[in-house]
């Protein structure tokens, strides 16, 4: 059974994405709460092939903002945006395949979509792709690839990835052991509020001081 709020959560908050150009009628209408105007404009532009409009119109269809809730149409527009190369849409498709929502569950397809978005620098996709390789879920277990993508996500500011890559550096798992790098990433995660990372940073710092 389709659960709208679950989908809304899965597609990364399902909020329309701001355009690069500030003067945007649909975006301004959405910001002002005029969802009918926004939906009509996004639909018009989506049909003209604009990827961001396709994604935003898909989100409005899934949420029922300015239009009736239409999961089927929402998925179609989301898929068009993803096929067109929009990283946010690719990430969303990966999440849907991972959870089996609106599409048949396929961890391999989830990995494929995460990979496409990750290669474009989407931090959430990088973290999810790393986890696929870390667990051997939808892809062969590969700690080197897991470390590669956790590092990318960590560099993008993802706190969980910062802690994990710190652990991988400390253990030398999938990446060359390096306590200095472990300390760096544990410290980065701790600065974002990860208490466990703060504890690990102190442990590694004491070990480095004793060498």
């Amino acid at each position: 059974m389709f659960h709208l709020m679950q989908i809304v959560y899965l597609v990364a908050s399902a909020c329309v994405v701001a355009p690069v150009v500030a003067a945007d009628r649909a975006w301004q209408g959405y910001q002002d709460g005029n969802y009918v105007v926004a939906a009509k404009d996004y639909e018009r532009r989506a049909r003209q092939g604009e990827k961001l409009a396709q994604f935003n119109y898909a989100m409005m269809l899934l949420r029922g903002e300015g239009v009736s809730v239409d999961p089927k149409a929402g998925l179609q527009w989301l898929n068009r945006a993803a096929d067109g190369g929009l990283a946010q849409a690719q990430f969303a498709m990966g999440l849907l395949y991972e959870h089996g929502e609106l599409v048949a569950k396929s961890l391999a397809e989830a990995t494929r979509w995460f990979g496409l978005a990750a290669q474009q620098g989407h931090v959430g996709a990088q973290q999810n792709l790393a986890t696929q390789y870390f667990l051997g879920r939808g892809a062969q277990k590969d700690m080197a690839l897991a470390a590669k993508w956790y590092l990318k996500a960590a560099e993008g500011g993802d706190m969980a990835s910062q802690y994990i890559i710190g652990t991988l550096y400390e253990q030398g798992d999938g990446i060359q052991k390096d306590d200095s790098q472990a300390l760096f990433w544990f410290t980065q995660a701790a600065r974002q509020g990860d208490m466990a990372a703060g504890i690990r940073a102190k442990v590694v710092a004491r070990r480095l001081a004793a060498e």
Side-chain angles (χ1 to χ4, degrees):
M1 182 178 179
F2 172 69
H3 299 284
L4 175 61
M5 293 312 296
Q6 186 176 8
I7 296 301
V8 167
Y9 173 77
L10 287 177
V11 290
S13 299
C15 181
V16 300
V17 176
V20 175
V21 180
D24 185 290
R25 180 170 178 264
W27 172 248
Q28 190 58 56
Y30 188 88
Q31 290 293 93
D32 293 341
N34 194 340
Y35 296 147
V36 173
V37 168
K40 286 182 179 179
D41 199 37
Y42 280 136
E43 180 183 11
R44 176 182 60 79
R45 288 156 55 184
R47 294 186 183 282
Q48 292 173 351
E50 186 180 318
K51 292 180 292 186
L52 184 59
Q54 290 169 349
F55 176 82
N56 287 339
Y57 185 50
M59 294 302 99
M60 297 191 78
L61 285 164
L62 292 176
R63 292 178 66 111
E65 292 177 329
V67 291
S68 298
V69 174
D70 191 336
K72 183 178 179 180
L75 177 62
Q76 289 173 341
W77 284 112
L78 181 61
N79 202 94
R80 285 195 194 185
D83 282 338
L86 187 69
Q88 178 71 8
Q90 293 169 340
F91 176 57
M93 289 299 297
L95 290 172
L96 293 179
Y97 274 107
E98 179 184 7
H99 293 269
E101 296 289 355
L102 296 182
V103 294
K105 184 172 182 176
S106 172
L107 295 178
E109 271 296 286
T111 299
R112 184 178 76 84
W113 283 115
F114 289 148
L116 290 171
Q119 289 165 13
Q120 295 195 67
H122 191 288
V123 175
Q126 291 170 342
Q127 196 264 356
N128 280 48
L129 181 61
T131 300
Q132 298 291 84
Y133 287 122
F134 184 88
L135 297 176
R137 184 177 65 186
Q140 185 174 354
K141 184 178 177 70
D142 189 323
M143 290 306 299
L145 283 175
K148 170 188 173 179
W149 289 109
Y150 277 132
L151 180 57
K152 291 284 189 182
E155 291 170 344
D158 183 70
M159 183 178 71
S161 295
Q162 290 170 345
Y163 179 84
I164 294 171
I165 196 62
T167 301
L168 296 181
Y169 268 120
E170 184 181 14
Q171 297 174 349
D173 194 358
I175 201 165
Q176 186 173 353
K177 181 178 173 63
D178 188 328
D179 275 348
S180 294
Q181 283 297 307
L183 176 58
F184 174 80
W185 288 114
F186 284 141
T187 301
Q188 296 304 305
R191 286 174 177 170
Q192 293 200 65
D194 189 321
M195 296 179 66
I199 294 171
R200 292 309 309 161
K202 291 178 182 178
V203 171
V204 176
R206 285 197 296 266
R207 187 163 63 238
L208 284 169
E211 292 179 354

